[in-house]
Amino acid sequence: MTRVHPLYDLFASLPAPPDPIGLYPDYAALRDRFLAARARGDDLETEEAFLTLYCHVHGHEAPYTAEERARVDRTGGYWSHAGGVSPILRAGPHIRPDTVLGDFGAGNGLQGLLIQRLFPHRRTVQIEISSRMVEAGRALEGWLGIPPGRVEWVVGDVLDHSPAGMDFVYLYRPVRPTGEGRAFYEAFAREVGRGVDEVVVFSIADCLRDFLPPEFEVFYTDGHLTCFRGAGKQDS
Ligand SMILES: C[S@@+](CC[C@H](N)C(=O)[O-])C[C@H]1O[C@@H](n2cnc3c(N)ncnc32)[C@H](O)[C@@H]1O
């Protein structure tokens, strides 16, 4: 319970988020429910109400153009499921002020934005195929009071992007590890840790384990979130 408190305090202090694409129609009602449960001191109800509010701001359904949807269909990616608050809170000890963090399949970037807000770091790179979700995410930066220049938004296919130069990578099964998607995990495993001293990977519904070199250590897993640590590699 107590681990969720930084996010409780944050969400209780924030006004309604800017909503350029109509993603959060129930925000006011869900926030009121969360605040009322918290005021009553009912821990279980507060947690449930908070998670519902968080999932609402995350967005359940990403809007895609026909072309974006065809790409997601071809690579068997997950739609907009929320990774949850556990990876956000667990990220803290692995984030330093000079960390470059990447989220491969970021949706509106809520995960990376909340990590940036709670644990400020050099750069958060948000890679997402839905251009409308990226538009929604850009608007959340100011809402969360994130200083300009900290977040880089990339509208694109994860298959075209590398984790090289990133010290912390977060991903929630953006593509299926078969067919075209398999190439993503193979390339990711080759590139991860390149150009950094050490890399930590948080993977939800993990598909990476079978691709990463054996030197990567799993230091946490609960069936939902799997956390890896690996030595970086410098180009000679
Ligand atoms: C399961 S959601 C994860 C959202 C967020 N990272 C989280 O953990 O809460 C997967 C995201 O990957 C995106 N996605 C699916 N296929 C993709 C692709 N080929 N390239 C980039 N993003 C993709 C989806 O649009 C969706 O936003």
Side-chain angles (χ1 to χ4, degrees):
M1 269 310 284
T2 40
R3 286 192 303 105
V4 183
H5 283 175
L7 289 175
Y8 286 4
D9 289 342
L10 176 61
F11 274 70
S13 71
L14 289 168
D19 192 5
I21 68 165
L23 210 55
Y24 326 117
D26 300 330
Y27 182 85
L30 295 175
R31 179 172 183 266
D32 287 350
R33 195 170 146 246
F34 161 61
L35 293 180
R38 200 178 188 209
R40 276 196 299 280
D42 183 328
D43 281 359
L44 267 183
E45 204 188 324
T46 304
E47 183 172 22
E48 193 273 328
F50 172 75
L51 291 174
T52 307
L53 177 64
Y54 152 82
C55 283
H56 194 61
V57 179
H58 180 281
H60 297 284
E61 276 186 43
Y64 299 99
T65 63
E67 200 181 317
E68 290 164 359
R69 184 173 292 276
R71 187 74 194 133
V72 174
D73 283 346
R74 267 221 317 283
T75 49
Y78 264 8
W79 306 97
S80 189
H81 301 291
V85 297
S86 149
I88 298 168
L89 298 170
R90 285 183 186 281
H94 310 289
I95 307 288
R96 300 179 313 267
D98 64 344
T99 291
V100 175
L101 177 154
D103 183 348
F104 284 70
N108 66 358
L110 185 65
Q111 302 294 90
L113 292 174
L114 289 175
I115 295 174
Q116 177 64 256
R117 168 68 196 242
L118 293 182
F119 315 111
H121 52 274
R122 177 150 57 111
R123 199 159 75 247
T124 311
V125 184
Q126 312 264 25
I127 305 164
E128 168 57 41
I129 202 157
S130 165
S131 49
R132 308 290 316 278
M133 285 302 262
V134 167
E135 185 187 343
R138 283 182 196 278
L140 295 180
E141 264 186 65
W143 178 62
L144 287 168
I146 293 170
R150 290 280 175 87
V151 186
E152 179 183 336
W153 296 94
V154 180
V155 178
D157 189 333
V158 291
L159 272 82
D160 298 330
H161 295 276
S162 156
M166 296 174 181
D167 321 272
F168 186 100
V169 186
Y170 172 79
L171 75 172
Y172 184 170
R173 198 190 174 285
V175 294
R176 193 188 294 142
T178 55
E180 274 189 71
R182 188 178 172 87
F184 165 73
Y185 294 99
E186 287 170 349
F188 185 101
R190 273 196 308 275
E191 289 291 302
V192 70
R194 186 172 296 283
V196 295
D197 293 334
E198 186 184 79
V199 62
V200 168
V201 181
F202 275 23
S203 174
I204 310 275
D206 181 54
C207 297
L208 264 177
R209 201 176 192 146
D210 294 341
F211 295 91
L212 286 175
E215 305 82 70
F216 271 74
E217 165 208 4
V218 174
F219 66 89
Y220 175 81
T221 183
D222 59 17
H224 176 66
L225 168 66
T226 303
C227 304
F228 302 91
R229 186 185 292 113
K233 37 190 185 253
Q234 302 296 336
D235 291 326
S236 45

